[in-house]
Amino acid sequence: MTKILITGGAGFLGSHLCERLLNEGNEVICVDNFFTGSKRNIAHLLGNPYFEVIRHDVTFPLYLEVDQIYNLACPASPIHYQHDPVQTTKTSVHGAINMLGLAKRIHARILQASTSEVYGDPEVHPQQESYWGRVNPIGIRSCYDEGKRCAETLFFDYHRQNNLDIKVVRIFNTYGPRMHPNDGRVVSNFIVQALKGEDITIYGEGNQTRSFCYVDDLIEAMVMMMATPTSFTGPVNIGNPVEFTILELAEKVIALTGSSSKLVFSPLPSDDPRQRKPDISLAQNALNWQPKVTLEEGLRSAIAYFSNLLQEN
Ligand code: NAD
Ligand code: UDP
């Protein structure tokens, strides 16, 4: 049995990863400080004797024995990572140092959940892994963007200096069931607003673009990445390359929910990337992976999830 540590395991992506790896017959340890994650996300896994949960903040050292580590701990939505920006940088940087130190001591393979935010507001489109990015080092998104960039640096330095077995994936906007309903990310915001019949909040004119990946596709790619030969470290882009404007997303959500919500426009937050779309050729070649779920299919399943959640509350 492979023993796997997932930091941030009670979060949106982490809970899907815990579930997937348990279903495949692994032993899973979920480490989380429950800042944005919740027990509800993993409640259905608690009866599994091969699942263990530890409340722990990754900015402090952790002593465990495992074969593999997926490092996901970090708030991912702008509202949450800007709530305590110093803690966000600490989580990315000290968290990476602690998890890399752990991996080094126990000779574990370690995967970092990095982000398309390392490309910042890009002047290259679509974004390839070879692009170094255009990131403001002192803006309101910097605690997250620069924290994640520094974490990547640490991963590659541990790899070069200590021969550590590393994997780095750069995740592009991913959505699906178990997103936090109030975390401010665009897909959850629009669905919850549409279901409640509230105004749909478009920041700017809504012509900025994003490319939305359904959670199952993303988890598949992460697991495939962990299984690649040691020589393949990444970084590798994981995302869905079909690009939409934020206005198009709002229209799709309104159509699929049958909502009578109106669009309202408010100022674009600073440093908000104007366009984003992954070049996934590396993932296609190295992992033989590509996303399968269309935005419409994925939105239907996310809408069903939020609709149940709202009825319960
Ligand atoms: P999330 O906020 O749902 O999950 C993050 C988890 O980390 C939460 O359970 C939170 O409680 C936990 N956490 C935060 N700080 C911690 C700390 N100091 N110690 C221990 N646990 C801590 O977000 P998510 O969307 O599931 O993102 C998971 C990872 O994937 C993050 O590292 C994020 O940067 C990365 N990512 C996500 C996306 C996306 O679109 N969802 C895109 C790019 C990168
Ligand atoms: N956005 C929006 N309305 C919202 C929430 C977000 O128009 O209620 C916009 C936001 O300005 C950005 C895009 O949607 O241009 C994606 O935002 P999100 O926070 O989901 O992800 P990120 O900006 O980190 O890609």
Side-chain angles (χ1 to χ4, degrees):
M1 234 182 188
T2 309
K3 214 169 175 182
I4 304 173
L5 166 63
I6 303 176
T7 75
F12 160 47
L13 298 180
S15 62
H16 286 275
L17 188 59
C18 288
E19 186 176 316
R20 161 78 188 251
L21 293 172
L22 282 168
N23 285 344
E24 285 181 353
N26 301 289
E27 194 171 337
V28 172
I29 303 176
C30 161
V31 162
D32 206 293
N33 70 349
F34 297 101
F35 174 50
T36 51
S38 75
K39 291 185 183 157
R40 189 181 194 281
N41 286 343
I42 47 170
H44 62 297
L45 305 175
L46 293 174
N48 188 320
Y50 299 108
F51 185 57
E52 201 177 330
V53 184
I54 302 173
R55 179 186 286 267
H56 174 81
D57 182 328
V58 293
T59 62
F60 296 97
L62 179 67
Y63 296 91
L64 290 172
E65 313 298 322
V66 292
D67 306 301
Q68 297 178 351
I69 303 170
Y70 287 83
N71 188 36
L72 273 68
C74 187
S77 85
I79 290 183
H80 284 139
Y81 69 65
Q82 288 165 12
H83 170 74
D84 184 350
V86 173
Q87 174 66 12
T88 299
T89 303
K90 280 188 188 169
T91 295
S92 275
V93 177
H94 294 194
I97 291 171
N98 288 327
M99 292 310 116
L100 287 160
L102 173 65
K104 180 180 154 193
R105 180 178 66 78
I106 61 180
H107 304 292
R109 175 171 281 199
I110 179 165
L111 180 146
Q112 168 70 354
S114 190
T115 168
S116 53
E117 296 284 336
V118 299
Y119 302 121
D121 188 5
E123 67 270 87
V124 168
H125 195 74
Q127 293 78 53
Q128 285 185 332
E129 291 84 353
S130 54
Y131 176 50
W132 290 356
R134 190 170 79 106
V135 177
N136 175 359
I138 57 168
I140 55 169
R141 293 176 84 102
S142 312
C143 58
Y144 183 74
D145 301 8
E146 297 288 22
K148 287 285 186 177
R149 285 169 68 95
C150 185
E152 285 200 11
T153 307
L154 286 161
F155 267 69
F156 279 85
D157 281 334
Y158 268 80
H159 174 64
R160 283 184 287 258
Q161 204 172 323
N162 304 108
N163 211 16
L164 208 66
D165 189 359
I166 64 155
K167 308 280 172 197
V168 175
V169 292
R170 290 182 178 156
I171 303 169
F172 284 65
N173 298 64
T174 301
Y175 69 98
R178 300 199 203 122
M179 288 184 94
H180 196 298
N182 301 322
D183 80 359
R185 283 187 271 192
V186 69
V187 175
S188 43
N189 263 14
F190 286 3
I191 293 177
V192 170
Q193 289 163 344
L195 290 172
K196 288 183 169 173
E198 293 172 355
D199 291 341
I200 306 267
T201 52
I202 310 269
Y203 302 158
E205 289 169 13
N207 51 16
Q208 69 272 38
T209 69
R210 293 294 187 273
S211 308
F212 299 100
C213 184
Y214 187 64
V215 59
D216 290 356
D217 282 332
L218 186 270
I219 297 298
E220 177 73 14
M222 280 178 109
V223 173
M224 288 171 102
M225 179 64 177
M226 189 57 117
T228 53
T230 309
S231 56
F232 185 66
T233 56
V236 58
N237 289 338
I238 305 294
N240 190 319
V242 185
E243 187 181 7
F244 293 90
T245 66
I246 294 305
L247 263 183
E248 286 169 336
L249 175 71
E251 281 154 10
K252 268 195 187 300
V253 169
I254 288 176
L256 290 171
T257 51
S259 173
S260 54
S261 291
K262 305 266 172 311
L263 305 185
V264 294
F265 293 83
S266 56
L268 195 65
S270 63
D271 296 336
D272 199 287
R274 282 159 301 153
Q275 52 177 10
R276 180 182 292 153
K277 164 181 158 142
D279 179 325
I280 60 162
S281 349
L282 180 60
Q284 283 169 322
N285 293 332
L287 309 180
N288 194 19
W289 170 89
Q290 62 180 25
K292 298 191 183 104
V293 182
T294 64
L295 183 61
E296 191 158 323
E297 288 165 345
L299 284 178
R300 281 186 200 283
S301 118
I303 289 166
Y305 170 79
F306 283 113
S307 172
N308 277 338
L309 195 70
L310 293 179
Q311 275 163 24
E312 277 172 31
N313 296 330

